[in-house]
Amino acid sequence: MGSLPACATSSDRTRRNGTFTGVLGNTQSMRECFEIRATDAGGRLGELTVPRAETTVETPALLPVINPHLDTIEPGTLETEFGAEMLITNAYIISNSTDVREQALEEGLHDLLGFDGAIMTDSGSFQLAEYGDITVTTEEILEFQRDIGSDIATPVDIPTPPDVDRERAEADLETTQERLEIAETVDTGDMLVNAPVQGSTYPDLREAAGRHARGTDLDVFPVGAVVPLMNDYRYDDMIDAVAGAKRGLGTAAPVHLFGAGHPMMFALAVAMGCDLFDSAAYALYARDDRYLTVRGTRHLEEMTTLPCPCPVCTTSTVEELSALPDDERETALARHNLHVSFAEIRRIKSAIRDGRLLELVEQRARSHPTMLDGYRALLEHGDLLERTDPISKGTFFYTSHESARRPEVRRHHDRLARLEIPDSVFLTEGNTSSDDRYDASWRVLPPFGPFPRALSRTYPLAAEVPRRQDRAALEAAATGVRRLVDEHPETSFTLGHRGWPEGVLEGVPDRVRLLDLTTDLSDGEEE
Ligand SMILES: [Zn+2]
């Protein structure tokens, strides 16, 4: 397929530093295999070109994990029934089983698995870390992956677990980085190569690791060793780890959240800038009679109905599934689990296209308190979200008090400093004022705060907000007032508010004259 954009390969090391001005608005250093089509918060729709498979994978993408020894669902079916464009299998398992190894070397992975799309291989870092010392070199493990026809290979990195002491995290990272540097020198042809980003639970180490990986000419960037965090429902720590990596990697790098396969957290991770996911969960959970949903996991035993619209759930009942022989029930549940997972990926893509990703994340955050922690952690990285958040989208929906911390609110506050303003301004939640004590009457809309009425129909100020405002929205609006007032020391301000509590008004500078519109209608307001 000659029309595909070229990706950097080992024989072509020099073309890395192209630049483009695209949807990101800024000039970004660019990874040639990855093109970003649209963004929303930190999330993006992209295209990952995989030259060895002669294909382009649309991201966010879910890579089902295939164990070459046991096909819960055949790889060909993953393509035809579920639309999987890429899958991932383990080169370590292949190299350690004589029959599969020979077959893979002779026929290549695509024939072995019966899959035409892109195939990523894991090196077995996890197994090596669990079961013993590495006896193969980085060259050998990459050459093996090349020889079996992998499209995206992985060097053997050190997946440092969470919460280890810093010395160990640093030492492990140094080893990983040495191996990435060796990986750059291996003749990998047109195979892409992963550059895992480690650093345990130290965001600054993750950032340094990301910066180092970005400086290599490797292609795809898995954030590694987050599985223990997800197993412990530490979605906030997971977000911090990803955010650290993203700070180092920049916005142009394709990022893989390695080992993340539960559809409940896809939207959250995409909003932090993850592009690839791999799911072993669909099969592992099915083996244990567990039924995945976007709001968490159910055990088949505790269910009375199947709420999902997938082909499995619309053609069988809980009783029928439970009565199936073990292997058939496992396959049926795995199919359901995959349907749910791929449906969530499609929903996320559509949300990014529509500028509604954060609203989807807010919905998912309501499914479990730890997901809410994850969302709150995400909002703490507002500067990162803002780098790629579009200036204009559909309508901003205020759907939870966390909405007050969305990047759009933050950006509006930053913008207040740049607005032209007359000498005397009435900022009001009420209607416009014809009182000639004021040169202008600006609208105040929680959570954004004040703005000239001419901007009322622009994004995000044409927002849908509940009539019954919460404290977070009022506090954000007060912050907006304070930002405006502090930036314009020459201007005199009056604030007409609808009964803001004392604690919220404390956020408004003392020099602003206050007028409670719910008790005092005599001043400054008319229809
Ligand atoms: Zn289903």
Side-chain angles (χ1 to χ4, degrees):
M1 235 181 271
S3 63
L4 290 169
C7 286
T9 64
S10 56
S11 56
D12 185 8
R13 297 291 184 198
T14 55
R15 296 180 291 110
R16 257 310 181 208
N17 298 317
T19 58
F20 78 112
T21 306
V23 289
L24 303 177
N26 300 315
T27 301
Q28 297 280 344
S29 80
M30 156 186 181
R31 310 233 50 122
E32 287 169 20
C33 300
F34 188 56
E35 204 164 328
I36 294 172
R37 298 289 190 195
T39 61
D40 188 13
R44 47 275 190 92
L45 281 180
E47 285 178 358
L48 180 70
T49 299
V50 187
R52 202 171 189 201
E54 298 187 343
T55 190
T56 296
V57 173
E58 192 184 349
T59 66
L62 176 62
L63 288 54
V65 176
I66 291 300
N67 180 333
H69 288 303
L70 47 150
D71 281 352
T72 313
I73 294 176
E74 287 192 354
T77 307
L78 292 172
E79 205 165 5
T80 53
E81 184 176 340
F82 300 93
E85 294 184 300
M86 172 149 57
L87 51 78
I88 178 167
T89 191
N90 193 312
Y92 176 81
I93 293 176
I94 293 170
S95 76
N96 279 274
S97 94
T98 321
D99 50 332
V100 181
R101 181 190 167 96
E102 289 316 309
Q103 207 186 339
L105 284 168
E106 275 167 32
E107 299 172 8
L109 269 184
H110 290 82
D111 282 354
L112 176 76
L113 299 177
F115 186 77
D116 294 332
I119 301 179
M120 181 186 284
T121 43
D122 188 6
S123 60
S125 299
F126 176 74
Q127 286 83 356
L128 291 163
E130 290 282 296
Y131 308 122
D133 284 331
I134 294 176
T135 52
V136 290
T137 64
T138 299
E139 288 90 338
E140 285 165 346
I141 198 82
L142 285 177
E143 282 164 4
F144 177 70
Q145 291 172 82
R146 181 197 65 201
D147 294 345
I148 60 175
S150 172
D151 301 311
I152 307 179
T154 312
V156 179
D157 60 324
I158 312 284
T160 314
D163 313 315
V164 300
D165 62 55
R166 194 178 169 94
E167 288 66 34
R168 175 175 166 196
E170 284 175 352
D172 282 359
L173 186 54
E174 206 169 304
T175 308
T176 292
Q177 292 180 344
E178 282 163 15
R179 291 184 187 161
L180 297 188
E181 284 159 20
I182 295 168
E184 287 185 275
T185 67
V186 178
D187 177 14
T188 47
D190 56 2
M191 177 173 72
L192 301 182
V193 179
N194 278 324
V197 176
Q198 297 291 348
S200 183
T201 25
Y202 298 96
D204 63 313
L205 288 187
R206 291 275 182 183
E207 182 174 346
R211 200 173 305 111
H212 173 270
R214 178 192 192 172
T216 67
D217 64 4
L218 304 180
D219 306 283
V220 179
F221 303 88
V223 177
V226 290
V227 172
L229 296 176
M230 290 185 284
N231 288 346
D232 289 343
Y233 298 95
R234 291 167 61 182
Y235 295 110
D236 49 354
D237 292 333
M238 176 203 85
I239 285 293
D240 288 342
V242 174
K246 293 285 296 186
R247 285 179 196 282
L249 286 168
T251 50
V255 173
H256 180 173
L257 192 60
F258 221 61
H262 199 303
M264 178 171 76
M265 45 69 63
F266 289 166
L268 175 68
V270 166
M272 194 67 260
C274 296
D275 307 294
L276 302 174
F277 300 90
D278 58 279
S279 176
Y282 77 93
L284 294 173
Y285 282 57
R287 205 162 299 159
D288 200 20
D289 280 343
R290 284 184 291 171
Y291 181 97
L292 296 182
T293 83
V294 291
R295 300 174 56 82
T297 311
R298 305 285 305 276
H299 203 279
L300 190 60
E301 232 173 47
E302 67 189 29
M303 297 180 73
T304 52
T305 52
L306 304 173
C308 146
C310 89
V312 176
C313 299
T314 48
T315 56
S316 39
T317 64
V318 173
E319 292 72 27
E320 286 164 356
L321 277 187
S322 306
L324 288 174
D326 286 356
D327 56 336
E328 288 179 37
R329 189 173 64 252
E330 184 181 323
T331 304
L333 282 174
R335 283 179 63 213
H336 156 80
N337 289 345
L338 272 178
H339 276 297
V340 169
S341 304
F342 277 102
E344 181 70 350
I345 294 287
R346 290 194 297 275
R347 199 175 289 121
I348 289 167
K349 287 180 185 172
S350 145
I352 295 174
R353 235 172 254 125
D354 298 343
R356 316 203 75 116
L357 179 61
L358 287 181
E359 281 142 32
L360 181 61
V361 175
E362 289 192 345
Q363 288 174 27
R364 297 295 175 252
R366 263 56 203 167
S367 59
H368 196 282
T370 57
M371 289 294 301
L372 192 52
D373 280 333
Y375 180 41
R376 289 176 179 169
L378 178 84
L379 292 170
E380 277 160 25
H381 299 286
D383 59 319
L384 275 185
L385 305 185
E386 227 197 302
R387 297 192 306 195
T388 46
D389 195 46
I391 301 296
S392 186
K393 319 181 195 176
T395 304
F396 179 105
F397 276 33
Y398 190 94
T399 57
S400 79
H401 67 85
E402 286 86 10
S403 302
R405 295 166 59 199
R406 282 176 49 167
E408 292 93 336
V409 177
R410 183 193 168 99
R411 184 184 301 133
H412 177 69
H413 291 170
D414 292 341
R415 177 192 190 189
L416 287 169
R418 302 191 301 270
L419 293 175
E420 290 284 315
I421 197 160
D423 292 340
S424 153
V425 181
F426 184 40
L427 311 173
T428 178
E429 287 190 279
N431 293 306
T432 186
S433 168
S434 61
D435 190 318
D436 57 14
R437 278 178 298 173
Y438 310 117
D439 297 327
S441 160
W442 281 21
R443 203 172 149 210
V444 173
L445 178 69
F448 301 101
F451 51 87
R453 286 174 192 274
L455 296 180
S456 288
R457 288 176 189 279
T458 63
Y459 189 86
L461 304 169
E464 292 283 354
V465 300
R467 283 194 301 132
R468 293 158 192 261
Q469 281 154 355
D470 56 38
R471 181 144 180 145
L474 299 182
E475 282 174 353
T479 301
V481 172
R482 190 176 67 240
R483 292 284 298 274
L484 181 72
V485 171
D486 290 349
E487 291 291 340
H488 299 96
E490 308 298 318
T491 302
S492 83
F493 291 96
T494 302
L495 172 65
H497 63 91
R498 294 199 190 277
W500 290 9
E502 198 52 43
V504 171
L505 290 171
E506 278 167 15
V508 175
D510 289 342
R511 74 180 185 87
V512 177
R513 191 171 147 254
L514 297 174
L515 186 64
D516 186 345
L517 303 174
T518 60
T519 57
D520 185 358
L521 294 172
S522 64
D523 197 0
E525 166 125 341
E526 70 179 36
E527 287 300 311

